[in-house]
Amino acid sequence: DITKKIATIHTGNVLAVEPNIEVLTSSLSQIKLTSFESAKDEADVHVLLVDHKEFKESKFNNGIRIDTKGIW
């Protein structure tokens, strides 16, 4: 729901990284599902909403980071 809300108010591209799914539902058609590697290089703002192990193991230094789980 948070990602969907961001997509409705943000005028730019919204990327989603979800390691446990391969395709987003049609209700999220305005959001692009991508890999963490691609998103960390492409996005200007990174919002961490879930603490998947893949995110815990990944580090990066670019962009603005909003960490709601305290792992970055």
Side-chain angles (χ1 to χ4, degrees):
D1 289 338
I2 295 171
T3 306
K4 191 174 186 177
K5 180 68 173 177
I6 291 169
T8 61
I9 62 174
H10 180 61
T11 58
N13 295 329
V14 175
L15 308 174
V17 177
E18 174 48 76
N20 298 311
I21 62 172
E22 294 183 17
V23 178
L24 293 174
T25 63
S26 60
S27 67
L28 300 174
S29 62
Q30 71 276 29
I31 299 168
K32 177 184 172 190
L33 185 63
T34 190
S35 69
F36 182 82
E37 291 300 314
S38 294
K40 75 177 188 178
D41 294 333
E42 188 176 339
D44 297 317
V45 178
H46 309 270
V47 181
L48 179 68
L49 299 173
V50 292
D51 56 354
H52 291 307
K53 68 176 182 167
E54 293 85 351
F55 301 150
K56 292 178 182 179
E57 298 168 353
S58 300
K59 302 295 179 196
F60 62 100
N61 295 318
N62 59 317
I64 297 167
R65 289 174 286 183
I66 300 169
D67 181 357
T68 66
K69 296 297 181 180
I71 63 172
W72 285 341

